[in-house]
Short mmCIF file of all heavy atoms in Angstrom, two decimals:
data_model
loop_
_atom_site.label_atom_id
_atom_site.label_comp_id
_atom_site.label_asym_id
_atom_site.label_seq_id
_atom_site.Cartn_x
_atom_site.Cartn_y
_atom_site.Cartn_z
N MET C 187 123.29 121.06 -107.60
CA MET C 187 123.22 120.90 -109.05
C MET C 187 122.03 120.04 -109.47
O MET C 187 121.86 118.95 -108.91
CB MET C 187 124.53 120.33 -109.57
CG MET C 187 124.55 120.24 -111.07
SD MET C 187 126.03 119.45 -111.72
CE MET C 187 127.16 120.77 -111.67
N LYS C 188 121.28 120.46 -110.44
CA LYS C 188 120.11 119.76 -110.86
C LYS C 188 120.49 118.71 -111.94
O LYS C 188 121.21 118.99 -112.82
CB LYS C 188 119.08 120.75 -111.47
CG LYS C 188 117.83 120.12 -111.92
CD LYS C 188 116.90 121.18 -112.45
CE LYS C 188 115.60 120.54 -112.97
NZ LYS C 188 114.74 121.51 -113.56
N GLN C 189 120.01 117.48 -111.72
CA GLN C 189 120.29 116.49 -112.70
C GLN C 189 119.24 116.45 -113.78
O GLN C 189 118.05 116.69 -113.53
CB GLN C 189 120.29 115.04 -112.00
CG GLN C 189 121.49 114.85 -111.09
CD GLN C 189 121.47 113.44 -110.53
OE1 GLN C 189 120.41 112.83 -110.40
NE2 GLN C 189 122.64 112.94 -110.18
N SER C 190 119.69 116.17 -115.00
CA SER C 190 118.74 116.13 -116.14
C SER C 190 117.97 114.79 -116.16
O SER C 190 118.46 113.78 -115.70
CB SER C 190 119.46 116.36 -117.43
OG SER C 190 120.34 115.29 -117.71
N THR C 191 116.80 114.88 -116.63
CA THR C 191 115.92 113.68 -116.73
C THR C 191 116.49 112.83 -117.89
O THR C 191 116.72 113.31 -118.93
CB THR C 191 114.49 113.99 -117.05
OG1 THR C 191 114.02 114.94 -116.03
CG2 THR C 191 113.60 112.83 -117.00
N PRO C 192 116.65 111.52 -117.68
CA PRO C 192 117.12 110.65 -118.73
C PRO C 192 116.16 110.65 -119.91
O PRO C 192 114.96 110.80 -119.77
CB PRO C 192 117.20 109.26 -118.09
CG PRO C 192 117.14 109.54 -116.63
CD PRO C 192 116.47 110.79 -116.37
N ALA C 193 116.75 110.58 -121.11
CA ALA C 193 115.96 110.61 -122.34
C ALA C 193 114.94 109.52 -122.37
O ALA C 193 113.76 109.80 -122.85
CB ALA C 193 116.89 110.46 -123.56
N ALA C 194 115.19 108.34 -121.86
CA ALA C 194 114.23 107.28 -121.86
C ALA C 194 113.00 107.65 -121.05
O ALA C 194 111.82 107.37 -121.44
CB ALA C 194 114.83 105.96 -121.36
N TRP C 195 113.20 108.29 -119.86
CA TRP C 195 112.05 108.65 -119.03
C TRP C 195 111.21 109.75 -119.72
O TRP C 195 110.02 109.76 -119.62
CB TRP C 195 112.56 109.14 -117.66
CG TRP C 195 111.42 109.51 -116.75
CD1 TRP C 195 111.17 110.74 -116.26
CD2 TRP C 195 110.39 108.70 -116.27
NE1 TRP C 195 110.04 110.77 -115.50
CE2 TRP C 195 109.53 109.49 -115.48
CE3 TRP C 195 110.07 107.29 -116.40
CZ2 TRP C 195 108.41 108.96 -114.83
CZ3 TRP C 195 108.98 106.83 -115.78
CH2 TRP C 195 108.14 107.62 -115.00
N GLU C 196 111.87 110.67 -120.40
CA GLU C 196 111.20 111.68 -121.16
C GLU C 196 110.29 111.04 -122.26
O GLU C 196 109.20 111.48 -122.50
CB GLU C 196 112.16 112.70 -121.78
CG GLU C 196 112.82 113.56 -120.80
CD GLU C 196 113.85 114.48 -121.38
OE1 GLU C 196 114.06 114.48 -122.59
OE2 GLU C 196 114.50 115.21 -120.60
N GLN C 197 110.78 109.99 -122.89
CA GLN C 197 110.02 109.26 -123.86
C GLN C 197 108.80 108.64 -123.27
O GLN C 197 107.70 108.62 -123.85
CB GLN C 197 110.89 108.23 -124.62
CG GLN C 197 111.96 108.84 -125.48
CD GLN C 197 111.43 109.62 -126.63
OE1 GLN C 197 110.42 109.23 -127.19
NE2 GLN C 197 112.04 110.70 -126.99
N VAL C 198 108.92 108.04 -122.08
CA VAL C 198 107.85 107.43 -121.33
C VAL C 198 106.72 108.46 -121.04
O VAL C 198 105.54 108.22 -121.22
CB VAL C 198 108.30 106.73 -120.12
CG1 VAL C 198 107.13 106.31 -119.23
CG2 VAL C 198 109.16 105.48 -120.47
N GLN C 199 107.22 109.61 -120.55
CA GLN C 199 106.26 110.67 -120.17
C GLN C 199 105.53 111.20 -121.47
O GLN C 199 104.32 111.48 -121.38
CB GLN C 199 107.04 111.88 -119.53
CG GLN C 199 107.48 111.53 -118.13
CD GLN C 199 108.32 112.60 -117.50
OE1 GLN C 199 109.08 113.30 -118.21
NE2 GLN C 199 108.13 112.80 -116.25
N LEU C 200 106.27 111.33 -122.56
CA LEU C 200 105.65 111.79 -123.79
C LEU C 200 104.59 110.78 -124.27
O LEU C 200 103.53 111.13 -124.72
CB LEU C 200 106.70 111.98 -124.87
CG LEU C 200 106.26 112.52 -126.21
CD1 LEU C 200 105.60 113.88 -126.05
CD2 LEU C 200 107.43 112.64 -127.19
N ALA C 201 104.94 109.48 -124.18
CA ALA C 201 103.98 108.42 -124.63
C ALA C 201 102.75 108.48 -123.73
O ALA C 201 101.62 108.30 -124.22
CB ALA C 201 104.67 107.04 -124.52
N ALA C 202 102.91 108.74 -122.47
CA ALA C 202 101.74 108.77 -121.52
C ALA C 202 100.86 109.98 -121.89
O ALA C 202 99.61 109.87 -121.90
CB ALA C 202 102.22 108.84 -120.10
N LYS C 203 101.47 111.11 -122.21
CA LYS C 203 100.67 112.30 -122.58
C LYS C 203 99.97 112.01 -123.89
O LYS C 203 98.78 112.43 -124.05
CB LYS C 203 101.59 113.48 -122.74
CG LYS C 203 102.15 114.07 -121.41
CD LYS C 203 103.06 115.22 -121.67
CE LYS C 203 103.66 115.68 -120.35
NZ LYS C 203 104.58 116.78 -120.56
N LEU C 204 100.57 111.35 -124.81
CA LEU C 204 99.91 111.05 -126.09
C LEU C 204 98.75 110.08 -125.86
O LEU C 204 97.69 110.28 -126.43
CB LEU C 204 100.90 110.42 -127.04
CG LEU C 204 100.42 110.07 -128.44
CD1 LEU C 204 99.90 111.29 -129.16
CD2 LEU C 204 101.52 109.44 -129.21
N ALA C 205 98.92 109.12 -125.00
CA ALA C 205 97.84 108.21 -124.67
C ALA C 205 96.63 108.92 -124.06
O ALA C 205 95.51 108.66 -124.40
CB ALA C 205 98.28 107.11 -123.74
N ASP C 206 96.92 109.91 -123.17
CA ASP C 206 95.86 110.72 -122.56
C ASP C 206 95.14 111.53 -123.60
O ASP C 206 93.89 111.61 -123.62
CB ASP C 206 96.42 111.65 -121.50
CG ASP C 206 96.88 110.90 -120.25
OD1 ASP C 206 96.49 109.75 -120.08
OD2 ASP C 206 97.65 111.53 -119.46
N LEU C 207 95.86 112.08 -124.55
CA LEU C 207 95.30 112.92 -125.59
C LEU C 207 94.42 111.99 -126.52
O LEU C 207 93.29 112.43 -126.94
CB LEU C 207 96.33 113.60 -126.46
CG LEU C 207 97.02 114.80 -125.83
CD1 LEU C 207 98.14 115.29 -126.72
CD2 LEU C 207 96.03 115.89 -125.58
N LYS C 208 94.87 110.84 -126.81
CA LYS C 208 94.08 109.89 -127.64
C LYS C 208 92.79 109.56 -126.96
O LYS C 208 91.72 109.48 -127.55
CB LYS C 208 94.88 108.66 -128.00
CG LYS C 208 95.97 108.87 -129.05
CD LYS C 208 96.75 107.59 -129.31
CE LYS C 208 95.92 106.51 -129.92
NZ LYS C 208 96.69 105.33 -130.28
N ASP C 209 92.84 109.32 -125.63
CA ASP C 209 91.62 108.96 -124.89
C ASP C 209 90.65 110.16 -124.90
O ASP C 209 89.44 109.98 -125.12
CB ASP C 209 92.00 108.58 -123.50
CG ASP C 209 90.77 108.03 -122.68
OD1 ASP C 209 90.12 107.11 -123.18
OD2 ASP C 209 90.54 108.65 -121.61
N ASP C 210 91.17 111.36 -124.66
CA ASP C 210 90.33 112.59 -124.65
C ASP C 210 89.68 112.79 -126.04
O ASP C 210 88.49 113.08 -126.14
CB ASP C 210 91.14 113.83 -124.29
CG ASP C 210 91.55 113.90 -122.81
OD1 ASP C 210 90.99 113.07 -122.04
OD2 ASP C 210 92.44 114.67 -122.49
N HIS C 211 90.50 112.58 -127.07
CA HIS C 211 89.98 112.70 -128.44
C HIS C 211 88.87 111.70 -128.71
O HIS C 211 87.80 112.05 -129.29
CB HIS C 211 91.12 112.55 -129.45
CG HIS C 211 90.67 112.70 -130.85
ND1 HIS C 211 90.47 111.59 -131.65
CD2 HIS C 211 90.43 113.80 -131.61
CE1 HIS C 211 90.13 112.04 -132.89
NE2 HIS C 211 90.05 113.35 -132.86
N TYR C 212 89.07 110.48 -128.36
CA TYR C 212 88.05 109.45 -128.55
C TYR C 212 86.78 109.79 -127.85
O TYR C 212 85.67 109.69 -128.41
CB TYR C 212 88.58 108.07 -128.04
CG TYR C 212 87.48 107.01 -128.00
CD1 TYR C 212 87.04 106.40 -129.14
CD2 TYR C 212 86.89 106.70 -126.79
CE1 TYR C 212 86.01 105.50 -129.12
CE2 TYR C 212 85.87 105.76 -126.73
CZ TYR C 212 85.45 105.17 -127.90
OH TYR C 212 84.45 104.25 -127.85
N ARG C 213 86.82 110.22 -126.61
CA ARG C 213 85.61 110.52 -125.84
C ARG C 213 84.95 111.79 -126.44
O ARG C 213 83.71 111.80 -126.45
CB ARG C 213 86.02 110.77 -124.34
CG ARG C 213 86.43 109.50 -123.71
CD ARG C 213 86.56 109.58 -122.19
NE ARG C 213 87.10 108.38 -121.62
CZ ARG C 213 86.38 107.25 -121.54
NH1 ARG C 213 85.18 107.18 -121.96
NH2 ARG C 213 86.94 106.22 -120.97
N THR C 214 85.68 112.71 -126.91
CA THR C 214 85.10 113.88 -127.52
C THR C 214 84.35 113.55 -128.84
O THR C 214 83.21 113.95 -129.07
CB THR C 214 86.18 114.98 -127.84
OG1 THR C 214 86.80 115.36 -126.61
CG2 THR C 214 85.55 116.22 -128.53
N VAL C 215 84.98 112.73 -129.64
CA VAL C 215 84.38 112.30 -130.93
C VAL C 215 83.13 111.42 -130.65
O VAL C 215 82.12 111.58 -131.28
CB VAL C 215 85.40 111.57 -131.83
CG1 VAL C 215 84.75 110.92 -133.00
CG2 VAL C 215 86.49 112.52 -132.26
N LEU C 216 83.24 110.57 -129.68
CA LEU C 216 82.08 109.71 -129.27
C LEU C 216 80.92 110.56 -128.86
O LEU C 216 79.77 110.36 -129.25
CB LEU C 216 82.51 108.76 -128.20
CG LEU C 216 81.43 107.78 -127.73
CD1 LEU C 216 81.00 106.85 -128.85
CD2 LEU C 216 81.92 106.94 -126.55
N THR C 217 81.17 111.56 -128.02
CA THR C 217 80.10 112.44 -127.48
C THR C 217 79.48 113.18 -128.64
O THR C 217 78.25 113.33 -128.75
CB THR C 217 80.65 113.37 -126.46
OG1 THR C 217 81.17 112.58 -125.35
CG2 THR C 217 79.57 114.31 -125.91
N LEU C 218 80.31 113.72 -129.52
CA LEU C 218 79.80 114.50 -130.66
C LEU C 218 78.99 113.61 -131.60
O LEU C 218 77.92 114.02 -132.07
CB LEU C 218 80.96 115.15 -131.40
CG LEU C 218 80.62 116.02 -132.62
CD1 LEU C 218 79.70 117.16 -132.21
CD2 LEU C 218 81.90 116.55 -133.26
N SER C 219 79.47 112.40 -131.86
CA SER C 219 78.70 111.46 -132.69
C SER C 219 77.35 111.16 -132.07
O SER C 219 76.39 111.10 -132.80
CB SER C 219 79.51 110.20 -132.90
OG SER C 219 80.74 110.47 -133.58
N ALA C 220 77.34 110.92 -130.78
CA ALA C 220 76.05 110.61 -130.10
C ALA C 220 75.11 111.77 -130.20
O ALA C 220 73.91 111.62 -130.53
CB ALA C 220 76.31 110.23 -128.68
N MET C 221 75.60 113.03 -130.03
CA MET C 221 74.75 114.19 -130.12
C MET C 221 74.20 114.35 -131.55
O MET C 221 72.99 114.64 -131.71
CB MET C 221 75.55 115.46 -129.72
CG MET C 221 75.86 115.54 -128.28
SD MET C 221 77.01 116.86 -127.80
CE MET C 221 76.35 118.24 -128.67
N LEU C 222 75.03 114.16 -132.55
CA LEU C 222 74.55 114.27 -133.93
C LEU C 222 73.50 113.22 -134.23
O LEU C 222 72.50 113.53 -134.82
CB LEU C 222 75.73 114.17 -134.91
CG LEU C 222 76.71 115.36 -134.86
CD1 LEU C 222 77.93 115.09 -135.71
CD2 LEU C 222 75.97 116.64 -135.32
N GLU C 223 73.72 112.04 -133.79
CA GLU C 223 72.73 110.95 -134.03
C GLU C 223 71.42 111.28 -133.39
O GLU C 223 70.33 111.09 -133.94
CB GLU C 223 73.24 109.62 -133.48
CG GLU C 223 74.35 108.98 -134.34
CD GLU C 223 73.87 108.67 -135.78
OE1 GLU C 223 72.75 108.18 -135.97
OE2 GLU C 223 74.60 108.93 -136.73
N LEU C 224 71.46 111.81 -132.15
CA LEU C 224 70.16 112.23 -131.43
C LEU C 224 69.47 113.33 -132.18
O LEU C 224 68.27 113.31 -132.36
CB LEU C 224 70.52 112.62 -130.02
CG LEU C 224 70.85 111.50 -129.07
CD1 LEU C 224 71.36 112.08 -127.73
CD2 LEU C 224 69.62 110.66 -128.82
N LEU C 225 70.20 114.29 -132.67
CA LEU C 225 69.61 115.42 -133.48
C LEU C 225 68.95 114.94 -134.73
O LEU C 225 67.89 115.38 -135.07
CB LEU C 225 70.65 116.48 -133.76
CG LEU C 225 71.17 117.31 -132.54
CD1 LEU C 225 72.34 118.21 -132.97
CD2 LEU C 225 70.02 118.16 -131.98
N ILE C 226 69.60 114.00 -135.37
CA ILE C 226 69.07 113.39 -136.60
C ILE C 226 67.82 112.55 -136.25
O ILE C 226 66.79 112.69 -136.94
CB ILE C 226 70.11 112.54 -137.34
CG1 ILE C 226 71.23 113.49 -137.93
CG2 ILE C 226 69.50 111.69 -138.40
CD1 ILE C 226 72.47 112.80 -138.42
N ASP C 227 67.97 111.73 -135.24
CA ASP C 227 66.86 110.86 -134.82
C ASP C 227 65.58 111.68 -134.46
O ASP C 227 64.48 111.29 -134.71
CB ASP C 227 67.19 109.99 -133.61
CG ASP C 227 68.19 108.89 -133.96
OD1 ASP C 227 68.41 108.64 -135.17
OD2 ASP C 227 68.78 108.30 -133.07
N LYS C 228 65.77 112.87 -133.86
CA LYS C 228 64.72 113.72 -133.47
C LYS C 228 64.19 114.58 -134.63
O LYS C 228 63.22 115.35 -134.44
CB LYS C 228 65.13 114.63 -132.28
CG LYS C 228 65.32 113.80 -130.98
CD LYS C 228 65.83 114.73 -129.88
CE LYS C 228 66.15 113.95 -128.63
NZ LYS C 228 64.94 113.81 -127.79
N GLY C 229 64.85 114.47 -135.79
CA GLY C 229 64.40 115.26 -136.92
C GLY C 229 64.77 116.71 -136.91
O GLY C 229 64.23 117.50 -137.61
N LEU C 230 65.69 117.05 -136.07
CA LEU C 230 66.10 118.48 -135.94
C LEU C 230 67.11 118.86 -137.01
O LEU C 230 67.25 120.06 -137.39
CB LEU C 230 66.77 118.73 -134.55
CG LEU C 230 65.77 118.56 -133.34
CD1 LEU C 230 66.47 118.68 -132.06
CD2 LEU C 230 64.65 119.57 -133.52
N LEU C 231 67.77 117.87 -137.59
CA LEU C 231 68.60 118.09 -138.80
C LEU C 231 68.76 116.80 -139.52
O LEU C 231 68.47 115.74 -139.00
CB LEU C 231 70.01 118.67 -138.42
CG LEU C 231 70.98 117.80 -137.60
CD1 LEU C 231 71.87 117.08 -138.56
CD2 LEU C 231 71.79 118.70 -136.70
N SER C 232 69.09 116.88 -140.79
CA SER C 232 69.24 115.72 -141.63
C SER C 232 70.68 115.41 -141.92
O SER C 232 71.55 116.29 -141.74
CB SER C 232 68.47 115.92 -142.93
OG SER C 232 69.15 116.84 -143.75
N ARG C 233 70.94 114.18 -142.31
CA ARG C 233 72.31 113.86 -142.65
C ARG C 233 72.84 114.71 -143.82
O ARG C 233 73.97 115.07 -143.87
CB ARG C 233 72.40 112.38 -143.01
CG ARG C 233 72.24 111.47 -141.82
CD ARG C 233 72.61 110.03 -142.12
NE ARG C 233 72.19 109.17 -141.01
CZ ARG C 233 72.81 109.03 -139.84
NH1 ARG C 233 73.97 109.70 -139.64
NH2 ARG C 233 72.37 108.26 -138.88
N GLU C 234 71.93 115.05 -144.77
CA GLU C 234 72.27 115.86 -145.88
C GLU C 234 72.69 117.27 -145.42
O GLU C 234 73.73 117.78 -145.91
CB GLU C 234 71.09 115.93 -146.90
CG GLU C 234 70.80 114.62 -147.56
CD GLU C 234 69.99 113.70 -146.71
OE1 GLU C 234 69.29 114.11 -145.70
OE2 GLU C 234 70.00 112.48 -146.97
N GLU C 235 71.92 117.87 -144.50
CA GLU C 235 72.32 119.15 -143.93
C GLU C 235 73.65 119.11 -143.26
O GLU C 235 74.47 120.02 -143.43
CB GLU C 235 71.25 119.67 -142.96
CG GLU C 235 69.89 120.02 -143.57
CD GLU C 235 68.85 120.30 -142.51
OE1 GLU C 235 68.79 119.51 -141.57
OE2 GLU C 235 68.15 121.29 -142.65
N LEU C 236 73.85 118.07 -142.51
CA LEU C 236 75.15 117.87 -141.82
C LEU C 236 76.28 117.75 -142.83
O LEU C 236 77.34 118.37 -142.62
CB LEU C 236 75.06 116.64 -140.90
CG LEU C 236 76.23 116.35 -140.04
CD1 LEU C 236 76.49 117.48 -139.08
CD2 LEU C 236 75.98 115.05 -139.28
N THR C 237 76.07 116.98 -143.86
CA THR C 237 77.12 116.83 -144.90
C THR C 237 77.47 118.11 -145.56
O THR C 237 78.62 118.42 -145.74
CB THR C 237 76.69 115.77 -145.92
OG1 THR C 237 76.48 114.50 -145.28
CG2 THR C 237 77.71 115.59 -147.03
N VAL C 238 76.41 118.84 -145.95
CA VAL C 238 76.62 120.14 -146.63
C VAL C 238 77.37 121.11 -145.70
O VAL C 238 78.33 121.74 -146.11
CB VAL C 238 75.22 120.75 -147.08
CG1 VAL C 238 75.42 122.23 -147.50
CG2 VAL C 238 74.68 119.94 -148.23
N LYS C 239 76.97 121.19 -144.50
CA LYS C 239 77.62 122.09 -143.52
C LYS C 239 79.05 121.68 -143.30
O LYS C 239 79.93 122.52 -143.24
CB LYS C 239 76.87 122.15 -142.19
CG LYS C 239 77.47 123.12 -141.20
CD LYS C 239 77.64 124.51 -141.73
CE LYS C 239 76.46 125.36 -141.53
NZ LYS C 239 76.71 126.81 -141.91
N ALA C 240 79.33 120.38 -143.16
CA ALA C 240 80.76 119.94 -142.99
C ALA C 240 81.56 120.27 -144.14
O ALA C 240 82.73 120.71 -144.01
CB ALA C 240 80.71 118.47 -142.73
N GLU C 241 81.04 120.15 -145.35
CA GLU C 241 81.76 120.52 -146.58
C GLU C 241 82.06 121.97 -146.62
O GLU C 241 83.11 122.43 -146.98
CB GLU C 241 81.03 120.06 -147.81
CG GLU C 241 81.01 118.58 -147.98
CD GLU C 241 80.06 118.10 -149.10
OE1 GLU C 241 79.36 118.90 -149.65
OE2 GLU C 241 80.07 116.90 -149.39
N GLN C 242 81.07 122.80 -146.26
CA GLN C 242 81.27 124.28 -146.18
C GLN C 242 82.35 124.68 -145.23
O GLN C 242 83.25 125.49 -145.54
CB GLN C 242 79.97 125.02 -145.83
CG GLN C 242 78.88 124.93 -146.88
CD GLN C 242 77.53 125.48 -146.34
OE1 GLN C 242 77.37 125.73 -145.17
NE2 GLN C 242 76.62 125.71 -147.30
N LEU C 243 82.30 124.11 -143.98
CA LEU C 243 83.35 124.44 -143.00
C LEU C 243 84.71 123.94 -143.46
O LEU C 243 85.66 124.63 -143.21
CB LEU C 243 82.91 123.78 -141.64
CG LEU C 243 81.69 124.38 -140.97
CD1 LEU C 243 81.30 123.55 -139.77
CD2 LEU C 243 81.88 125.83 -140.65
N ASP C 244 84.77 122.76 -144.09
CA ASP C 244 86.04 122.27 -144.56
C ASP C 244 86.63 123.21 -145.62
O ASP C 244 87.82 123.55 -145.57
CB ASP C 244 85.92 120.85 -145.09
CG ASP C 244 87.17 120.19 -145.51
OD1 ASP C 244 88.08 120.24 -144.67
OD2 ASP C 244 87.31 119.68 -146.59
N GLU C 245 85.79 123.67 -146.53
CA GLU C 245 86.29 124.60 -147.54
C GLU C 245 86.73 125.89 -146.94
O GLU C 245 87.81 126.46 -147.33
CB GLU C 245 85.15 124.91 -148.54
CG GLU C 245 84.84 123.77 -149.47
CD GLU C 245 83.62 124.04 -150.39
OE1 GLU C 245 83.15 125.20 -150.44
OE2 GLU C 245 83.20 123.05 -150.99
N GLN C 246 86.04 126.42 -145.92
CA GLN C 246 86.44 127.65 -145.27
C GLN C 246 87.81 127.46 -144.56
O GLN C 246 88.68 128.32 -144.63
CB GLN C 246 85.39 128.06 -144.23
CG GLN C 246 84.12 128.58 -144.84
CD GLN C 246 83.05 128.90 -143.79
OE1 GLN C 246 83.28 128.70 -142.57
NE2 GLN C 246 81.91 129.34 -144.19
N LEU C 247 87.92 126.31 -143.92
CA LEU C 247 89.19 126.01 -143.17
C LEU C 247 90.35 125.93 -144.16
O LEU C 247 91.44 126.47 -143.92
CB LEU C 247 89.05 124.76 -142.35
CG LEU C 247 90.24 124.38 -141.49
CD1 LEU C 247 90.68 125.48 -140.52
CD2 LEU C 247 90.01 123.14 -140.77
N GLU C 248 90.07 125.26 -145.26
CA GLU C 248 91.13 125.07 -146.28
C GLU C 248 91.57 126.41 -146.81
O GLU C 248 92.74 126.68 -147.01
CB GLU C 248 90.69 124.14 -147.40
CG GLU C 248 90.52 122.73 -147.09
CD GLU C 248 91.91 122.08 -146.83
OE1 GLU C 248 92.90 122.43 -147.44
OE2 GLU C 248 91.95 121.15 -145.96
N SER C 249 90.59 127.31 -147.05
CA SER C 249 90.90 128.68 -147.54
C SER C 249 91.73 129.46 -146.51
O SER C 249 92.66 130.17 -146.86
CB SER C 249 89.60 129.43 -147.82
OG SER C 249 88.93 128.84 -148.93
N LEU C 250 91.33 129.37 -145.24
CA LEU C 250 92.09 130.06 -144.21
C LEU C 250 93.54 129.54 -144.12
O LEU C 250 94.49 130.31 -143.94
CB LEU C 250 91.39 129.91 -142.85
CG LEU C 250 90.17 130.69 -142.68
CD1 LEU C 250 89.42 130.30 -141.38
CD2 LEU C 250 90.42 132.20 -142.69
N ILE C 251 93.70 128.25 -144.19
CA ILE C 251 95.02 127.65 -144.18
C ILE C 251 95.85 128.07 -145.28
O ILE C 251 97.02 128.49 -145.19
CB ILE C 251 94.94 126.10 -144.07
CG1 ILE C 251 94.34 125.70 -142.70
CG2 ILE C 251 96.32 125.44 -144.28
CD1 ILE C 251 94.03 124.21 -142.58
N ALA C 252 95.25 128.04 -146.53
CA ALA C 252 95.97 128.44 -147.71
C ALA C 252 96.36 129.91 -147.68
O ALA C 252 97.49 130.32 -147.98
CB ALA C 252 95.12 128.17 -148.93
N ALA C 253 95.44 130.74 -147.14
CA ALA C 253 95.74 132.19 -146.99
C ALA C 253 96.85 132.45 -146.02
O ALA C 253 97.68 133.27 -146.20
CB ALA C 253 94.47 132.93 -146.62
N SER C 254 96.92 131.64 -144.96
CA SER C 254 97.97 131.83 -143.93
C SER C 254 99.32 131.32 -144.44
O SER C 254 100.38 131.86 -144.05
CB SER C 254 97.59 131.15 -142.64
OG SER C 254 97.65 129.77 -142.78
N LEU C 255 99.30 130.34 -145.35
CA LEU C 255 100.58 129.85 -145.90
C LEU C 255 101.03 130.73 -146.99
O LEU C 255 102.28 130.82 -147.22
CB LEU C 255 100.35 128.42 -146.45
CG LEU C 255 100.06 127.39 -145.39
CD1 LEU C 255 99.79 126.00 -146.04
CD2 LEU C 255 101.21 127.23 -144.40
N HIS C 256 100.19 131.45 -147.69
CA HIS C 256 100.54 132.38 -148.79
C HIS C 256 99.88 133.68 -148.60
O HIS C 256 98.98 134.07 -149.33
CB HIS C 256 100.10 131.76 -150.09
CG HIS C 256 100.61 130.34 -150.36
ND1 HIS C 256 101.90 130.02 -150.51
CD2 HIS C 256 99.94 129.16 -150.32
CE1 HIS C 256 102.03 128.71 -150.70
NE2 HIS C 256 100.86 128.17 -150.51
N PRO C 257 100.32 134.51 -147.58
CA PRO C 257 99.62 135.73 -147.24
C PRO C 257 99.59 136.76 -148.34
O PRO C 257 98.76 137.62 -148.40
CB PRO C 257 100.38 136.21 -146.04
CG PRO C 257 101.66 135.57 -146.05
CD PRO C 257 101.45 134.25 -146.73
N MET C 258 100.53 136.73 -149.26
CA MET C 258 100.65 137.75 -150.30
C MET C 258 99.95 137.34 -151.58
O MET C 258 99.93 138.07 -152.57
CB MET C 258 102.09 138.11 -150.59
CG MET C 258 102.88 138.58 -149.35
SD MET C 258 102.06 140.01 -148.60
CE MET C 258 102.69 141.27 -149.64
N ALA C 259 99.44 136.11 -151.64
CA ALA C 259 98.82 135.59 -152.84
C ALA C 259 97.45 136.15 -153.09
O ALA C 259 96.78 136.63 -152.26
CB ALA C 259 98.76 134.09 -152.84
#
């Protein structure tokens, strides 16, 4: 007969997975920030271009989310 894992141990495992995800997220954001800074420093794009593109992508994502929440609207 298989014994179930105690709830406390499951909470510890969940916390460890969350910590790993936070570390991965931090490293991803750090790498992306460094890449953007290098592109700006090299004159390949401007902060204004980056801001405009981010706003466009945000609007598109918001529209997609709204459409998925209200498919018949």
Side-chain angles (χ1 to χ4, degrees):
M187 181 184 280
K188 183 178 176 182
Q189 291 183 333
S190 64
T191 305
W195 181 245
E196 290 176 2
Q197 293 294 325
V198 169
Q199 290 176 323
L200 184 59
K203 288 178 184 179
L204 182 59
D206 289 344
L207 285 174
K208 285 177 68 176
D209 186 55
D210 289 346
H211 180 259
Y212 170 76
R213 293 191 183 287
T214 300
V215 170
L216 180 63
T217 300
L218 182 57
S219 296
M221 289 171 47
L222 291 172
E223 287 297 320
L224 286 169
L225 290 170
I226 291 167
D227 290 348
K228 292 177 182 273
L230 296 173
L231 65 95
S232 69
R233 290 192 190 280
E234 293 78 22
E235 290 171 315
L236 184 59
T237 300
V238 168
K239 182 53 89 172
E241 289 171 354
Q242 290 172 348
L243 293 173
D244 187 48
E245 288 174 12
Q246 289 174 0
L247 183 58
E248 288 292 328
S249 294
L250 287 172
I251 291 170
S254 70
L255 293 176
H256 307 289
M258 302 304 278

